[in-house]
């Protein structure tokens, strides 16, 4: 859901996520351009139909989603892949969602915390906090990251701590430039 618009979807009896069309109007726009798309992964735009005091009109959640349009009144949410600024890209135009980084790093028990920041199309900073420095194979970790995001130079920073964002959350993967 979105705090301002309430619950946006629910699980149906089959386990599929259904958008609540009575409360909101959902649009999908191309990830890069502000053009409407009918299929595939796209930016999710929401208009709250019930908030009369402070309506949210065409609110860009910055989430990447895929929706299957149905004639049943409740479109199906096929995927919700997270924030647009967590989508990484290399110089060949290959898009890689940040969950690929998270999925890879979860197998390293000795990592306490990390943050991967792509500053430009060909350079990134990787901040990493280890639980202890025993049995750390940093070269192996970086080699795996380079396979996920080829042609991007990864600068490694082993640090003692990683600060939370202003909202109190950790952002594990961030892209700092427009695609």
């Amino acid at each position: 859901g979105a705090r301002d618009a309430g619950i946006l979807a629910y699980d149906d009896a089959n386990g599929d996520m259904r958008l609540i069309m009575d409360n909101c109007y959902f649009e999908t726009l191309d990830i890069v351009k502000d053009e409407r798309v009918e299929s595939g992964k796209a930016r999710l735009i929401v208009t709250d139909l019930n908030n009369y005091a402070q309506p949210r009109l065409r609110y860009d959640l910055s989430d990447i989603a895929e929706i299957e349009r149905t004639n049943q009144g409740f479109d199906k949410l096929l995927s919700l892949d997270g924030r647009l600024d967590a989508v990484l890209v290399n110089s060949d135009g290959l898009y890689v969602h940040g969950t690929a980084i998270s999925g890879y790093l979860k197998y390293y028990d000795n990592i306490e915390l990390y943050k991967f920041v792509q500053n430009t199309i060909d350079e990134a900073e990787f901040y990493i906090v280890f639980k202890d420095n025993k049995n750390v194979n940093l070269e192996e970790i970086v080699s795996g990251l380079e396979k996920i995001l080829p042609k991007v130079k990864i600068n490694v920073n082993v640090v003692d701590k990683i600060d939370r964002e202003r909202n109190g959350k950790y952002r594990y993967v961030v892209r700092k430039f427009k695609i």
Side-chain angles (χ1 to χ4, degrees), residues 36-109:
R36 190 176 175 135
V37 294
E38 292 301 322
S39 62
K41 297 199 184 273
R43 285 185 3 245
L44 186 60
I45 310 298
V46 178
T47 296
D48 181 2
L49 302 175
N50 295 319
N51 188 344
Y52 300 109
Q54 174 105 28
R56 296 283 182 179
L57 304 175
R58 301 195 79 228
Y59 183 62
D60 188 344
L61 297 174
S62 296
D63 283 334
I64 306 299
E66 186 171 5
I67 296 173
E68 178 184 307
R69 302 292 181 183
T70 67
N71 294 325
Q72 301 169 353
F74 297 97
D75 291 344
K76 187 188 296 186
L77 182 63
L78 298 176
S79 68
L80 184 61
D81 297 328
R83 299 261 175 213
L84 180 61
D85 66 357
V87 175
L88 308 172
V89 63
N90 72 9
S91 57
D92 290 336
L94 172 70
Y95 293 129
V96 176
H97 198 276
T99 55
I101 303 277
S102 301
Y104 168 68
L105 293 174
K106 75 178 182 182
Y107 294 104
Y108 290 92
D109 295 333

